[in-house]
Amino acid sequence: MNKIALITGATSGIGMATAKVLAKLKYNLIITGRRKERLDQFSNLLQSEFGIHTKALAFDIRNEEETTAALNTLGEKWSKIDILINNAGLASGTETVDQADWTKWKQMIDTNITGLLFLSKEIIKEMVSRKQGHIVNISSIAGIQTYPGGSVYSATKHAVNAITKGMRIDLLPHNIKVSSVSPGMVDTEFSLVRFGGDQEKANNVYNGVDALLAEDIADAIEYIVTRPAHVNINDMLIMPTQQADATNIYRK
Ligand code: NDP
Ligand code: 8X3
């Protein structure tokens, strides 16, 4: 029987590329995101292109009731999740702390931390009862380094790193692997979202840089989830060649 993976935030970018990689490995996939039409279209594509079963769950990960309702539809067929990819997340704005936009801060905290925790908690229960599972949390270079205008986004990714380490310790007796991937700049919809749909500002982020592609991160995730049972990759920090760290970028 095919194994099952759940990927949050599979309507674009890293989540979408990861879904394709896991579909190629013949995982049946639960994919999530808010944009239902995109999700359903992608679900159909995965079925036809890779011959796998899929379940598309459209919900806002910040909303506990929506998340619970979505997970309650999994039933016997879909509840035994082998791999959980906690990918849904965002940065919103680049305001300095004195110019705080509370709504944006709250959106990042509620999505990147609270949403990740709430969904994981439900899925971990089943993994513990079966004594098997692998959780991969998508963190960031921002989880290691804070940069101007990135305080709260960076705080959320520092939190993801703390949660990853805590999960790894707590789940040690239950044979559950916990990994994280920490990318630098990846050319996805991330910057478009960060700048509220301003395409020009988003393009400027990647100006003169060969940024990472979503497929590069999916490739790393493929490596992480295909290691032998006795090997766990704790974290992978992956940068574009032209980016040394969060603030040192060489632009051609
Ligand atoms: P994208 O904007 O392309 O994808 C983000 C995904 O998250 C979308 O599928 C989106 O789905 C989902 N999402 C966002 N908010 C919610 C929500 N409230 N409820 C449910 N789903 C949500 O960006 P990336 O692929 O780049 O980002 C994926 C992860 O990678 C994020 O955690 C990000 O922080 C991290 N990352 C990104 C980097 C980059 O440079 N791109 C670098 C390092 C880390 P929908 O809009 O349909 O809800
Ligand atoms: C996204 C990369 O450098 O904007 O996590 O924080 S960065």
Side-chain angles (χ1 to χ4, degrees):
M1 221 174 77
N2 296 29
K3 290 187 167 185
I4 297 173
L6 187 155
I7 304 159
T8 66
T11 51
S12 74
I14 294 169
M16 191 175 254
T18 303
K20 288 184 182 168
V21 156
L22 294 180
K24 189 189 71 187
L25 295 174
K26 294 295 172 204
Y27 279 84
N28 288 331
L29 296 181
I30 304 161
I31 53 172
T32 86
R34 287 165 301 179
R35 288 169 287 181
K36 184 170 169 28
E37 206 178 319
R38 265 208 205 195
L39 198 65
D40 289 341
Q41 277 173 7
F42 185 47
S43 178
N44 291 337
L45 179 143
L46 288 168
Q47 288 176 22
S48 59
E49 203 167 303
F50 299 96
I52 58 156
H53 294 283
T54 59
K55 186 157 178 75
L57 298 178
F59 64 92
D60 189 327
I61 204 165
R62 291 172 294 174
N63 184 317
E64 291 172 19
E65 277 161 26
E66 277 186 33
T67 305
T68 303
L71 294 179
N72 280 344
T73 68
L74 291 179
E76 181 61 20
K77 181 178 173 195
W78 287 100
S79 60
K80 295 181 177 57
I81 293 162
D82 297 284
I83 295 179
L84 167 62
I85 311 283
N86 278 320
N87 165 74
L90 81 164
S92 186
T94 52
E95 290 83 6
T96 51
V97 286
D98 53 307
Q99 304 285 323
D101 183 325
W102 180 249
T103 314
K104 291 178 181 175
W105 284 8
K106 186 162 163 44
Q107 185 179 13
M108 290 186 273
I109 292 166
D110 290 352
T111 309
N112 301 359
I113 307 175
T114 315
L116 179 151
L117 279 172
F118 188 77
L119 179 126
S120 298
K121 186 174 180 304
E122 296 305 308
I123 290 163
I124 284 169
K125 282 185 211 158
E126 178 68 32
M127 286 181 169
V128 165
S129 74
R130 294 195 302 132
K131 294 268 182 247
Q132 116 182 28
H134 195 164
I135 300 166
V136 182
N137 295 327
I138 308 303
S139 184
S140 168
I141 177 67
I144 298 165
Q145 224 186 328
T146 310
Y147 53 84
S151 59
V152 173
Y153 176 66
S154 178
T156 67
K157 292 302 184 180
H158 276 69
V160 168
N161 290 349
I163 291 163
T164 300
K165 289 172 194 156
M167 283 179 171
R168 193 178 298 126
I169 294 164
D170 289 351
L171 299 176
L172 199 55
H174 301 293
N175 189 41
I176 296 168
K177 294 189 190 190
V178 184
S179 307
S180 61
V181 180
S182 302
M185 223 183 255
V186 191
D187 191 353
T188 61
E189 293 177 17
F190 178 85
S191 293
L192 193 63
V193 170
R194 177 169 224 167
F195 294 113
D198 186 329
Q199 189 69 63
E200 202 181 327
K201 275 191 180 170
N203 291 346
N204 281 341
V205 172
Y206 309 109
N207 250 351
V209 182
D210 285 330
L212 295 168
L213 304 175
E215 288 73 19
D216 297 318
I217 307 308
D219 187 37
I221 292 171
E222 176 172 5
Y223 179 79
I224 288 171
V225 301
T226 53
R227 292 312 86 210
H230 69 287
V231 178
N232 183 56
I233 306 297
N234 278 12
D235 182 39
M236 276 174 96
L237 172 61
I238 309 169
M239 305 297 286
T241 306
Q242 287 173 252
Q243 184 180 12
D245 58 23
T247 52
N248 286 287
I249 299 162
Y250 175 72
R251 296 184 192 271
K252 281 183 204 152

